[in-house]
Amino acid sequence: GAGVSQSPSNKVTEKGKDVELRCDPISGHTALYWYRQSLGQGLEFLIYFQGNSAPDKSGLPSDRFSAERTGGSVSTLTIQRTQQEDSAVYLCASSGRWSTDTQYFGPGTRLTVL
Amino acid sequence: SQQGEEDPQALSIQEGENATMNCSYKTSINNLQWYRQNSGRGLVHLILIRSNEREKHSGRLRVTLDTSKKSSSLLITASRAADTASYFCATDGGGNTPLVFGKGTRLSVIA
């Protein structure tokens, strides 16, 4: 079956603009995660969904970042008033029922803020 | 704080040699996983070892887990140029909490 997909694959935006990143998890996966990875660095956890609810939002770096998930499937990560330090690859992953299960990653969205 | 930390940060070896990467963590876990990442894109799951297991094999991969030392190692035998990638360990916090990834080991296999 299809894996995790993300769109767009690349996004270039100007400082101050809002961006919306999309993640389509594997069908039937109830857990969904967003991470951020700066060049040459590890993964920074942003937010985790179990179904449509987000029990763990602890990683969101500021109130400019928000995420939602509807219908227990597609999720969008919105960054308002983008800053240059938001430039990174944003990775989405999904897993079965439990947050400790194997995670399946999408290819990521490379965001560049000019 | 970060749960898993890989060591070394970077490793360069010749094709055919074995590569060993280590991961240390801080709290009790349910399982530990290793992932691979090519070219800064999505990660691919390699292997999962449960807290009651000590060693696990998958093809050329061998993973060990020492819960008393809170450490794990990933061994890649007979390395190939295609093994060049970053390798990350990921641990849970012992409950139903999201995995936490380390900063990774960048492996370069020179043909």
Side-chain angles (χ1 to χ4, degrees), chain B residues 78-91:
Chain B
S79 64
R80 305 167 182 168
D83 294 330
T84 295
S86 290
Y87 292 83
F88 295 86
C89 70
T91 54

Side-chain angles (χ1 to χ4, degrees), chain A residues 36-44 87-91 110, chain B residues 2 5-6 8-10 37-41 43 85-88 101-107:
Chain A
R36 179 169 72 174
Q37 186 178 34
S38 300
L39 188 63
Q41 299 298 306
L43 274 69
E44 177 187 2
S87 296
V89 175
Y90 289 81
L91 293 164
R110 186 178 300 278
Chain B
Q2 211 155 37
E5 293 286 345
E6 292 90 346
Q9 289 186 332
Q37 183 181 39
N38 288 77
S39 305
R41 301 302 262 190
L43 279 71
S86 290
Y87 292 83
F88 295 86
F101 288 80
K103 292 185 178 180
T105 292
R106 291 188 306 279
L107 173 65

Side-chain angles (χ1 to χ4, degrees), chain A residues 9 33 35 37 40-43 45 48 56 89 91 98-103 105-108 110, chain B residues 2 30-31 33 35 37 39-43 45 48 88 92 95-99 101-103 106:
Chain A
S9 56
Y33 317 81
Y35 298 90
Q37 186 178 34
Q41 299 298 306
L43 274 69
F45 171 76
Y48 151 60
D56 192 343
V89 175
L91 293 164
W98 307 112
S99 62
T100 53
D101 289 346
T102 296
Q103 294 185 14
F105 281 80
R110 186 178 300 278
Chain B
Q2 211 155 37
N30 290 319
N31 63 59
Q33 303 182 35
Y35 289 78
Q37 183 181 39
S39 305
R41 301 302 262 190
L43 279 71
H45 177 257
L48 180 153
F88 295 86
D92 60 65
N96 190 23
T97 56
L99 298 177
F101 288 80
K103 292 185 178 180
R106 291 188 306 279

